[in-house]
Amino acid sequence: MASHDDSRDFRTQDFATPDAEPATLLASGDDTEPLPDRRYTSILFWRLVRALDPDRGPARILDLGSATQSNIQFWGERGFKVTCYDLLRHETEHLSTQPITNLTLAAERVRERSLPFEDEAFTAICAWNVFACMPFVVARRYLRECYRILSPTGIVHAIFLDADGRLDMRRNYRVADRQQLDVSPVTVQRNDSDWVEAELAFMFSVFDACETKRAPCQTRELLAQRGPTGPVPFGEGKR
């Protein structure tokens, strides 16, 4: 295995040259609106892009969501090959044949889940609104798989919907008649929530470094990095 340059290690925060700065993150009066449709500056995505070097192998990006052509083009223009694998669709197909029960979420069943890629195959993984949409133990298993298929110093960029310090959206439900419910989003005041940070830290604890940031548009983002050396923790991800 080729040696790895630690100078771009996520844990050192060395994402760019000293004089490089991201665009200014501006506050907006509609930040409390659940899921507003607007563009915002993502500091962690900027850090991800600055940390990756296409001249260092394997120069491959894995997108675990419903990838768009523009996302594929973005990475392609920067010298990366993109692989798309809609994890939620595959997991939904799996659960459609095995409804969620204590048995299907038992440890031995969860460990059967895997990502169909070789060890250390990717430089980075994008998982945008993916892991919070599946059972926690299943998400943890797939994160171990992400660790396995990332190259040393490889990075995961994850996005979670976050309303009022929660990783899901809040809504109000009102009875319209005996067979109909009206649903509407809840405008909430965003407060710090230590338990959400602890939950994410535990979910991503397989990784060697992790950082979360609150972002506009009711979003919480996370970067997690595999260390420059060492085997997959506990051997659970190895085939």
Side-chain angles (χ1 to χ4, degrees):
M1 182 183 301
S3 62
H4 296 277
D5 179 10
D6 292 345
S7 64
R8 304 176 76 89
D9 190 346
F10 166 66
R11 295 171 298 176
T12 68
Q13 304 295 300
D14 185 15
F15 298 103
T17 54
D19 59 344
E21 294 291 342
T24 302
L25 180 61
L26 299 177
S28 173
D30 64 354
D31 276 356
T32 58
E33 177 187 349
L35 297 184
D37 293 327
R38 69 180 181 85
R39 181 174 296 179
Y40 73 91
T41 297
S42 170
I43 302 299
L44 292 191
F45 184 71
W46 174 82
R47 288 180 174 177
L48 171 72
V49 176
R50 297 292 300 185
L52 302 182
D53 184 353
D55 293 329
R56 295 175 57 200
R60 295 178 63 193
I61 307 294
L62 174 62
D63 192 326
L64 290 179
S66 300
T68 65
Q69 185 58 42
S70 60
N71 292 351
I72 296 172
Q73 182 177 350
F74 173 87
W75 291 114
E77 290 173 349
R78 285 156 178 80
F80 294 92
K81 295 182 179 180
V82 180
T83 299
C84 302
Y85 184 82
D86 192 338
L87 180 57
L88 282 180
R89 181 176 64 83
H90 286 279
E91 184 62 21
T92 299
E93 292 174 353
H94 178 87
L95 292 176
S96 66
T97 59
Q98 291 187 323
I100 298 177
T101 65
N102 290 339
L103 180 61
T104 58
L105 294 182
E108 60 271 17
R109 292 291 184 88
V110 171
R111 282 196 291 267
E112 293 174 358
R113 290 172 164 86
S114 63
L115 294 173
F117 306 106
E118 298 298 319
D119 294 357
E120 302 183 6
F122 296 96
T123 304
I125 298 173
C126 293
W128 298 349
N129 198 27
V130 172
F131 297 122
C133 298
M134 58 182 65
F136 187 88
V137 294
V138 175
R140 282 263 298 172
R141 169 58 189 171
Y142 281 124
L143 282 165
R144 291 187 179 279
E145 280 289 279
C146 288
Y147 191 102
R148 175 183 65 80
I149 66 177
L150 277 174
S151 62
T153 72
I155 301 175
V156 171
H157 179 240
I159 295 177
F160 298 85
L161 301 183
D162 177 21
D164 197 26
R166 298 186 63 85
L167 298 181
D168 53 9
M169 274 307 304
R170 298 186 61 195
R171 292 174 170 86
N172 276 335
Y173 295 86
R174 183 180 64 83
V175 175
D177 57 40
R178 65 181 183 180
Q179 61 180 353
Q180 292 181 314
L181 295 176
D182 290 332
V183 58
S184 59
V186 182
T187 299
V188 295
Q189 182 64 41
R190 305 181 73 194
N191 300 310
D192 290 334
S193 179
D194 293 338
W195 75 263
V196 171
E197 297 297 335
E199 183 180 39
L200 286 175
F202 180 67
M203 183 183 292
F204 284 82
S205 60
V206 66
F207 288 89
D208 300 282
C210 183
E211 178 182 354
T212 62
K213 273 191 179 296
R214 190 71 70 74
C217 300
Q218 299 289 4
T219 298
R220 190 179 298 246
E221 299 188 24
L222 182 145
L223 281 183
Q225 187 182 41
R226 177 173 172 170
T229 58
V232 176
F234 314 118
E236 291 188 16
K238 301 296 282 185
R239 292 174 184 261

